[in-house]
């Protein structure tokens, strides 16, 4: 194996809390303990396809402030597959060769890619095509990357959603209202389930368990009959009703986005229970802000482990958290399986044990 002298790092896909602490850990370990140079690539693969490539230079005494910073100082993008890249003139081009050329122009010996399953799949294709030495780190508030029990950003998102429920609790009980909190997570209900249990929700709706509106209303009426005239509902953006309906919105740029389930439920609940209902859509607040302690610890551990993988020459692997330790798995294997909520899991049993309605 060639001696490592210089590595690159990039953040790809949607941002989340914890990305900057990973960059900090990588820079500390790679420069401080191995004596390598670390280049930060701006805006994911866009930085590599630019001429000249857009980079940030990192020194170990200049990264400590990153520990508590949300977002990513490198910038990121979740648009534009480099294999079918939308050009300014409206045409679509395969820019993979430009990205590979950028890697070699920078004389990188390895690249750390921090991303979810979509980004890691793209980076792996590039690595295979261009013989790049790639190591992956999983991040996503959705926590749906198959091979790891937890991804960077998830814990902070759950903290934020829990705090939102805590705040809604007081105003719900003051006004005797049904408060609906709509959260992100795409097709995985981890955020709603975790925050729902932590924040004392009465009803948790997740995509993995199709809901019946009658069951939701029954729970609210049951509480009213017990003289509890308020109710906390947390709903994942991608839930489906038992008849298979999912709410999406067509945007002006012709993109279809998830969203709108909170308002839809509010209408139905008021119609069938006469309860006064309000909706909060938490949106990108879940992705921003100061990383939680758990995300900082995980980011530090993943960053250090990824650097060690490079030192061992174990490329085409992703670091993962399993059974209280860090392991590495081939990226192809890591992205093959999708990690959604198992309806038989401990947390689902916990929710049912607490009397929380799951809509079924
Ligand atoms: O995958 C992360 C995520 O935050 C999802 O939970 C959400 O559906 C989506 O990204 C939002 O994407 P965008 O930032 O493009 O609106």
């Amino acid at each position: 194996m060639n001696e490592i002298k210089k590595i690159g790092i990039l953040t790809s896909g949607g941002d989340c809390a914890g990305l900057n602490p990973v960059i900090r850990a990588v820079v500390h370990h790679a420069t401080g303990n191995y004596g390598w140079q670390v280049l930060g690539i701006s805006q994911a693969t866009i930085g590599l396809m630019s001429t000249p490539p857009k980079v940030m230079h990192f020194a170990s005494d200049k990264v400590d402030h990153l520990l508590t910073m949300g977002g990513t100082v490198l910038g990121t993008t979740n648009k534009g597959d480099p294999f079918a890249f939308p050009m300014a003139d409206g045409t679509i081009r395969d820019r993979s060769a430009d990205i590979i050329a950028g890697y070699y122009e920078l004389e990188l010996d390895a690249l750390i890619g921090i991303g979810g399953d979509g980004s890691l799949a793209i980076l792996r294709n590039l690595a295979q095509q261009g013989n790049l030495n790639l190591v992956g780190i999983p991040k996503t508030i959705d926590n749906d990357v198959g091979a790891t029990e937890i991804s960077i950003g998830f814990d902070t998102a759950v903290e934020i959603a829990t705090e939102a429920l805590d705040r809604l609790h007081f105003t719900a009980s003051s006004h005797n209202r049904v408060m609906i909190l709509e959260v992100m997570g795409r097709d995985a209900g981890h955020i709603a389930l975790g925050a729902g249990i932590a924040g004392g929700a009465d009803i948790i709706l997740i995509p993995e368990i199709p809901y019946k509106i009658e069951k939701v209303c029954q729970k609210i009426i049951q509480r009213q009959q017990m003289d509890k005239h308020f109710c906390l509902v947390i709903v994942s953006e991608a839930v489906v009703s038992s008849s298979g309906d999912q709410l999406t919105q067509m945007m002006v740029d012709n993109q279809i986005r998830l969203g709108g389930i909170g308002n839809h439920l509010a209408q139905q609940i008021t119609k069938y229970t006469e309860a006064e209902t309000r909706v909060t859509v938490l949106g990108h607040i879940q992705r921003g802000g100061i990383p939680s302690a758990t995300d900082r610890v995980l980011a530090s551990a993943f960053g250090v482990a990824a650097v060690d993988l490079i030192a061992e020459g174990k490329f085409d692997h992703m670091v993962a958290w399993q059974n209280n330790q860090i392991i590495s798995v081939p990226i192809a294997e890591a992205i093959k399986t999708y990690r959604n909520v198992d309806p038989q899991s401990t947390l689902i049993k916990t929710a049912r044990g607490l009397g929380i309605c799951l809509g079924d």
Side-chain angles (χ1 to χ4, degrees):
M1 193 188 77
N2 289 339
E3 199 199 334
I4 303 289
K5 293 195 193 79
K6 199 196 286 182
I7 66 169
I9 180 167
L10 60 79
T11 50
S12 180
D15 76 329
C16 61
L19 297 175
N20 282 323
V22 179
I23 297 168
R24 170 182 177 269
V26 165
V27 173
H28 272 312
H29 197 36
T31 62
N33 296 321
Y34 287 106
W36 304 338
Q37 194 185 340
V38 180
L39 291 186
I41 315 292
S42 298
Q43 276 212 291
T45 46
I46 294 181
L48 282 177
M49 71 171 73
S50 306
T51 319
K54 287 198 191 122
V55 295
M56 281 172 83
H57 294 261
F58 286 121
S60 70
D61 58 343
K62 296 267 160 48
V63 289
D64 276 334
H65 64 291
L66 297 181
L67 185 61
T68 53
M69 268 176 73
T72 162
V73 284
L74 293 174
T76 184
T77 179
N78 59 1
K79 289 207 197 89
D81 173 358
F83 292 92
F85 194 78
M87 303 297 289
D89 62 5
T91 58
I92 300 287
R93 260 186 57 199
D94 179 352
R95 301 287 311 269
S96 54
D98 301 329
I99 294 166
I100 293 162
Y103 174 96
Y104 286 105
E105 189 181 332
L106 293 171
E107 299 182 323
L108 298 180
D109 299 306
L111 177 68
I112 295 178
I114 313 171
D117 51 358
S119 298
L120 290 173
I122 288 174
L123 291 171
R124 180 166 195 269
N125 283 344
L126 290 165
Q128 297 284 299
Q129 184 179 317
N131 210 15
L132 319 182
N133 292 331
L134 176 69
V135 163
I137 298 182
K139 69 88 215 163
T140 165
I141 65 164
D142 306 342
N143 208 25
D144 57 2
V145 177
T148 184
E149 288 164 8
I150 184 158
S151 292
I152 287 160
F154 171 65
D155 184 73
T156 307
V158 172
E159 282 287 324
I160 292 167
T162 302
E163 191 196 328
L165 277 182
D166 291 345
R167 289 172 186 269
L168 289 172
H169 198 153
F170 292 112
T171 171
S173 67
S174 305
H175 283 268
N176 284 334
R177 283 172 169 164
V178 173
M179 286 290 182
I180 300 175
L181 179 67
E182 179 180 320
V183 294
M184 285 183 165
R186 285 223 168 95
D187 296 318
H190 299 290
I191 298 177
L193 184 59
I197 292 173
D202 305 295
I203 299 169
I204 300 176
L205 303 179
I206 58 172
E208 294 84 348
I209 302 180
Y211 75 93
K212 288 195 178 77
I213 191 66
E214 307 88 69
K215 295 284 177 184
V216 172
C217 293
Q218 243 172 44
K219 175 74 182 180
I220 294 167
I221 292 167
Q222 211 179 63
R223 281 179 60 81
Q224 288 167 345
Q225 287 164 350
M226 291 162 70
D227 219 16
K228 293 179 176 173
H229 293 279
F230 74 93
C231 193
L232 283 182
V233 183
I234 185 165
V235 55
S236 298
E237 59 184 355
V239 292
V240 279
S241 67
S242 55
S243 47
D245 300 325
Q246 188 180 60
L247 277 194
T248 52
Q249 294 173 338
M250 174 65 90
M251 310 310 282
V252 279
D253 57 2
N254 285 335
Q255 288 211 0
I256 295 175
R257 298 220 188 105
L258 290 166
I261 183 65
N263 280 316
H264 173 75
L265 281 177
Q267 300 286 336
Q268 304 278 307
I269 288 170
T270 305
K271 185 165 150 196
Y272 295 119
T273 68
E274 292 178 10
E276 199 182 352
T277 307
R278 294 289 186 271
V279 181
T280 302
V281 181
L282 205 50
H284 291 79
I285 289 175
Q286 293 156 96
R287 296 227 305 243
I290 297 171
S292 68
T294 298
D295 265 326
R296 292 182 213 179
V297 171
L298 189 67
S300 304
F302 275 169
V304 166
V307 169
D308 286 338
L309 280 188
I310 293 175
E312 290 162 26
K314 212 166 171 187
F315 303 118
D316 200 20
H317 276 64
M318 182 191 88
V319 293
W321 187 264
Q322 278 182 26
N323 301 320
N324 251 345
Q325 60 179 338
I326 292 200
I327 57 156
S328 70
V329 277
I331 296 177
E333 198 185 295
I335 57 181
K336 205 168 55 191
T337 49
Y338 183 73
R339 192 182 167 277
N340 52 6
V341 174
D342 173 359
Q344 307 306 326
S345 67
T346 301
L347 288 192
I348 290 292
K349 287 183 186 144
T350 304
R352 292 196 194 282
L354 291 168
I356 297 170
C357 165
L358 296 171
D360 57 345

